[in-house]
Amino acid sequence: MSEKLTLPIRPRRNRKSPAVRGLVRETTLRPEDLIYPLFLHDEEQNDAIESMPGLYRWSLAGLVEEVGRAREVGVRAVVLFPKIEEELKSSHGEECYNADGLVPRAIRAIKKQYPDVAVITDVALDPYNSDGHDGIIVEDDAGELKILNDETVEILCRQALCHADAGADVVSPSDMMDGRIGAIRAALDAAGHEEVSLLSYTAKYASAYYGPFRGALDSAPKAGDKKTYQMDPANRREALREAELDVAEGADMLMVKPAGPYLDIVRDLADSFAIPIAAYQVSGEYLMIKSAAADGWIDEEKVSMESLLGIKRAGADMILTYFAKDIAARL
Ligand code: PBG
């Protein structure tokens, strides 16, 4: 007969039943943590997006209905991404501050029907710019493409103002130009929009995970890449530097993007700054789960939930995710 093992410390005791596991659970996901990114276009019908199964480019009416369905399951925040018609695009993206443009009309339509839903807008030129870049582009003497920082920031300020005038609750610059948070804050305040919040894409990496999104909006760069403004995936301390600047310039919330492959950055920012942290589970992260599940390799419900719990556990207060409506319905 072997001796009875004396083992006073047994971590498994805290896992012995659903009730006990519930008591010791450290992280929980709530519908109100989620921000639902929505695509829209200036058409009458809703079009399924081929590169992002389960998602649509909504008409204005369809968009408002989808916001209603998300709200029904507890999602209280949406972020808007427009697909702009080719003939409205230009090298300076002037359409981005047209008061009657697609995004301002969408903001007004949502706020009219659902004033309690927080409407967040993306501030960047890529959907409007004939070059598909987030800023204004020039070719230098050597034929190299250059993104003009300060000229771009001026236009971003007009775009942010246009969204604020239409009733946006939060504007979210995703362009990674230098100094845009301070400039947009000053422009909003000068126009009496002190209450409009700034969610900064603080650490936005030059990521291949954005591929399906660019397909959905037809917004891929026509030439070159985004590496002179989006961050190098190899860098960690640089995110802290960006965050210091954004906080000093008046950001209300900081974002890390993508989320899953950058959880260390989410944790770094959450530990280092006393302002809320958002993380964006981007199109490629969504598509990898969707397509593996469609082929029967993984369980979509479980893996999507686990992916979001991991992002929350890493320190995100809020998560932008294309799973928002489906997940909220299961919480
Ligand atoms: C561009 C923008 C991008 C995304 C959000 N805003 C793409 C890019 O930088 O090229 C990507 C979102 C996603 O992949 O889900 N302003």
Side-chain angles (χ1 to χ4, degrees):
M1 272 285 247
S2 63
E3 293 237 337
K4 180 108 176 72
L5 179 66
T6 313
L7 194 54
I9 298 174
R10 293 176 181 269
R12 286 186 53 202
R13 274 196 288 269
N14 284 345
R15 301 177 207 136
K16 69 182 160 199
S17 68
V20 171
R21 289 197 294 275
L23 290 174
V24 302
R25 182 160 300 127
E26 298 175 45
T27 309
T28 45
L29 202 57
R30 309 169 308 156
E32 57 264 51
D33 299 329
L34 306 176
I35 299 172
Y36 189 18
L38 291 165
F39 299 103
L40 58 152
H41 62 181
D42 214 347
E43 311 268 349
E44 293 296 317
Q45 77 292 352
N46 305 315
D47 284 349
I49 300 173
E50 209 183 322
S51 63
M52 299 180 71
L55 302 182
Y56 291 82
R57 270 184 301 270
W58 300 102
S59 68
L60 274 192
L63 177 76
V64 175
E65 285 168 19
E66 180 70 355
V67 171
R69 286 186 288 267
R71 181 177 172 277
E72 204 60 41
V73 291
V75 175
R76 305 292 292 276
V78 297
V79 58
L80 305 180
F81 292 105
K83 179 174 158 72
I84 301 298
E85 291 148 51
E86 212 52 45
E87 55 276 18
L88 292 176
K89 297 186 182 182
S90 60
S91 62
H92 282 56
E94 285 91 349
E95 176 63 15
C96 79
Y97 51 82
N98 173 2
D100 292 316
L102 182 56
V103 168
R105 276 183 282 137
I107 299 167
R108 288 192 291 264
I110 296 171
K111 293 305 285 189
K112 184 165 166 225
Q113 189 80 22
Y114 301 114
D116 58 352
V117 169
V119 175
I120 306 172
T121 59
D122 195 69
V123 173
L125 296 188
D126 55 318
Y128 304 93
N129 179 316
S130 36
D131 303 302
H133 277 282
D134 291 20
I136 301 167
I137 222 175
V138 289
E139 207 173 311
D140 70 10
D141 298 340
E144 290 273 333
L145 296 179
K146 286 237 147 56
I147 308 290
L148 299 179
N149 192 87
D150 302 8
E151 292 79 350
T152 297
V153 169
E154 259 181 65
I155 298 181
L156 298 175
C157 288
R158 301 178 69 163
Q159 184 181 21
L161 272 180
C162 163
H163 296 170
D165 286 341
D169 300 279
V170 180
V171 295
S172 191
S174 68
D175 55 287
M176 292 300 282
M177 295 302 123
D178 292 331
R180 89 277 205 221
I181 297 300
I184 292 173
R185 184 71 269 158
L188 290 172
D189 290 354
H193 287 306
E194 297 88 354
E195 80 293 354
V196 172
S197 318
L198 265 169
L199 164 58
S200 177
Y201 284 71
T202 291
K204 177 173 180 178
Y205 287 88
S207 171
Y209 286 85
Y210 307 149
F213 173 97
R214 294 178 188 171
L217 294 186
D218 215 357
S219 65
K222 301 269 155 60
D225 54 40
K226 299 193 174 188
K227 290 180 186 167
T228 68
Y229 45 107
Q230 299 180 349
M231 284 174 52
D232 185 334
N235 293 355
R236 180 176 171 197
R237 283 182 302 147
E238 193 180 345
L240 293 171
R241 185 171 188 231
E242 286 284 359
E244 270 163 26
L245 288 167
D246 282 353
V247 169
E249 290 176 31
D252 298 288
M253 310 161 191
L254 306 179
M255 192 197 301
V256 175
K257 176 185 177 183
Y262 296 85
L263 295 183
D264 55 330
I265 311 299
V266 173
R267 172 49 62 201
D268 281 345
L269 295 199
D271 284 347
S272 307
F273 296 92
I275 78 171
I277 306 296
Y280 196 150
Q281 183 182 53
V282 301
S283 56
E285 299 176 76
Y286 172 81
L287 188 62
M288 289 194 304
I289 295 174
K290 273 289 192 190
S291 52
D295 282 347
W297 297 112
I298 59 170
D299 179 321
E300 176 180 329
E301 290 198 1
K302 289 183 179 145
V303 173
S304 57
M305 186 73 82
E306 187 176 331
S307 70
L308 295 175
L309 201 58
I311 295 166
K312 185 99 192 277
R313 193 195 59 240
D317 300 287
M318 64 198 101
I319 305 171
L320 296 87
T321 174
Y322 301 101
F323 289 113
K325 188 184 65 171
D326 291 352
I327 291 273
R330 287 190 273 119
L331 292 173

